[in-house]
Amino acid sequence: QVQLVESGGGLVQAGGSLRLSCAASGRGLSSYAMGWFRQAPGKEREFVAAISVSGGLTYYSDSVKGRFTISRDNAKNTVYLQMNSLKPEDTAVYYCAADPTFRTVVAGSSGVDYWGKGTLVTVSS
């Protein structure tokens, strides 16, 4: 079992930056591909970014490519999402996810093994 806890959300003005963290307990993250998803009010949860077990492979949704960066520190059992040039449309609850398979994380939310409870990011205009 893996427990995931997100942190770092908050209120930021458009154009600003935030860094989200996802800390794991239980089994370590070193065997899992990791991802970030988000769900805006009234919308379905959507994929944001994914990173492979080693960290050597990353993948982003078109809406965040060039603005967000996913990274991981397996020694600290933590995954990060650096968010720059934030826009009001980035407002959402952001969820951390873990799965043994990178492709499963990239493919979307339905097959992912573990989820955090989310952290709210609000971007004001």
Side-chain angles (χ1 to χ4, degrees), residues 9-14 18 86-88 90-92 94 120-124:
L11 175 63
V12 63
Q13 289 188 331
L18 280 176
L86 282 161
K87 305 175 182 180
D90 294 317
T91 294
Y94 284 71
L120 176 63
V121 172
T122 303
V123 184
S124 63

Side-chain angles (χ1 to χ4, degrees), residues 6-11 18-21 83 119-121:
E6 303 94 337
S7 62
L11 175 63
L18 280 176
R19 188 176 82 155
L20 305 183
S21 299
M83 306 186 296
T119 185
L120 176 63
V121 172

Side-chain angles (χ1 to χ4, degrees), residues 65-108:
K65 196 176 298 181
R67 299 188 298 123
F68 291 10
T69 302
I70 189 171
S71 62
R72 66 189 298 158
D73 186 337
N74 286 343
K76 294 183 178 180
N77 283 325
T78 303
V79 176
Y80 305 97
L81 186 69
Q82 178 67 44
M83 306 186 296
N84 298 329
S85 302
L86 282 161
K87 305 175 182 180
E89 51 264 44
D90 294 317
T91 294
V93 176
Y94 284 71
Y95 298 90
C96 177
D99 192 272
T101 307
F102 180 73
R103 183 163 53 187
T104 299
V105 177
V106 171

Side-chain angles (χ1 to χ4, degrees), residues 20-87:
L20 305 183
S21 299
C22 172
S25 60
R27 296 184 64 181
L29 289 183
S30 60
S31 299
Y32 294 91
M34 301 297 299
W36 288 94
F37 292 77
R38 67 186 182 186
Q39 187 167 18
K43 296 187 177 180
E44 293 186 355
R45 187 156 55 187
E46 65 173 358
F47 168 80
V48 174
I51 188 165
S52 62
V53 170
S54 67
L57 187 62
T58 57
Y59 187 77
Y60 299 91
S61 68
D62 288 342
S63 61
V64 307
K65 196 176 298 181
R67 299 188 298 123
F68 291 10
T69 302
I70 189 171
S71 62
R72 66 189 298 158
D73 186 337
N74 286 343
K76 294 183 178 180
N77 283 325
T78 303
V79 176
Y80 305 97
L81 186 69
Q82 178 67 44
M83 306 186 296
N84 298 329
S85 302
L86 282 161
K87 305 175 182 180

